[in-house]
Amino acid sequence: MTLRPILIHPDPRLKKICTPVAAVSEEMRALADDMLETMYDAPGIGLAAPQLGINKRLIVMDCVKEDDATPEPVVMFNPAVTWVSDETNVYEEGCLSIPEMYGEVTRPAEVRVSWLDIDGQAQEEQFDGLWATCVQHEIDHLEGKLFIDYLGAMKRQMITRKMQKLKREMARP
Ligand code: K1U
Ligand code: ZN
């Protein structure tokens, strides 16, 4: 397993629509392992392939936050939302591609999602709570959408400018 660098916004690779995974191959499984390792190391509760510069419909998640709890890693190839609740939830979201910035996002409180698992088997499940928020945030990444796209133009611009400054500082020798 390999830790991979996470792209920081703004980056054109974070704005692209990702292509479906044609087959759950060994190469794709190895990529999912790298993504889980990179997510746990960050640390984060989710990660999408485009955040590593890979234009594929693949996400990983583990929304179990307690340190002493058993991890519940989930790998989803080609995830698709098949149902959303009318009830909504507001959550102050963050993003590993927008470090240390947060914003309130309103999303459906519950969603049903279909996907292919690590063995290439079709799965479908309903999610609520933080899992529902996270899976929608990650699927948005596959559509080139970031949580800041739900915020007002002023806040989005302020965050983007801060990230541009951070990237300039990180690039300095
Ligand atoms: O996709 C990402 O950038 C990962 C992101 C997922 C996410 C966070 C909040 C709401 C929706 C989706 C993160 O994991 S940011 C880090 C984070 O939330 C966290 C980190 C350590 C412990 C608990 C949470
Ligand atoms: Zn994110």
Side-chain angles (χ1 to χ4, degrees):
M1 288 203 278
T2 315
L3 282 181
R4 302 196 188 202
I6 297 173
L7 298 180
I8 303 296
H9 164 77
D11 188 301
R13 289 168 287 182
L14 291 169
K15 299 306 298 170
K16 294 216 165 96
I17 294 180
C18 294
T19 60
V21 173
V24 180
S25 60
E26 269 316 309
E27 189 192 351
M28 282 293 127
R29 275 191 267 272
L31 172 59
D33 278 349
D34 288 354
M35 286 173 60
L36 281 170
E37 192 186 9
T38 304
M39 178 192 79
Y40 285 125
D41 179 74
I45 55 170
L47 192 67
Q51 293 180 276
L52 305 182
I54 296 159
N55 186 256
K56 290 280 173 212
R57 300 189 81 82
L58 165 59
I59 65 173
V60 298
M61 298 187 294
D62 188 343
C63 294
V64 176
K65 290 206 278 189
E66 299 76 29
D67 282 343
D68 51 353
T70 310
E72 284 181 36
V74 176
V75 174
M76 295 182 171
F77 296 95
N78 302 336
V81 175
T82 57
W83 171 85
V84 300
S85 62
D86 291 334
E87 189 197 339
T88 57
N89 242 351
V90 183
Y91 192 87
E92 185 157 60
E93 296 191 14
C95 181
L96 296 174
S97 295
I98 312 176
E100 288 170 41
M101 298 290 137
Y102 303 92
E104 284 193 347
V105 179
T106 304
R107 299 183 187 272
E110 292 183 64
V111 286
R112 263 192 97 72
V113 178
S114 67
W115 72 95
L116 295 181
D117 68 15
I118 198 83
D119 301 313
Q121 297 295 310
Q123 303 288 345
E124 185 160 10
E125 239 181 73
Q126 197 153 320
F127 295 91
D128 61 14
L130 184 55
W131 286 92
T133 299
C134 188
V135 75
Q136 292 174 80
H137 175 116
E138 301 310 331
I139 292 173
D140 272 355
H141 273 299
L142 307 182
E143 296 297 319
K145 193 163 185 180
L146 301 172
F147 82 84
I148 56 170
D149 296 326
Y150 293 94
L151 309 179
M154 294 279 273
K155 182 150 192 204
R156 187 167 57 247
Q157 207 170 69
M158 184 268 286
I159 290 175
T160 299
R161 287 194 178 129
K162 281 193 176 166
M163 290 299 105
Q164 283 166 331
K165 185 163 175 271
L166 174 72
K167 286 175 78 170
R168 278 198 301 275
E169 285 163 4
M170 283 168 33
R172 251 191 246 142

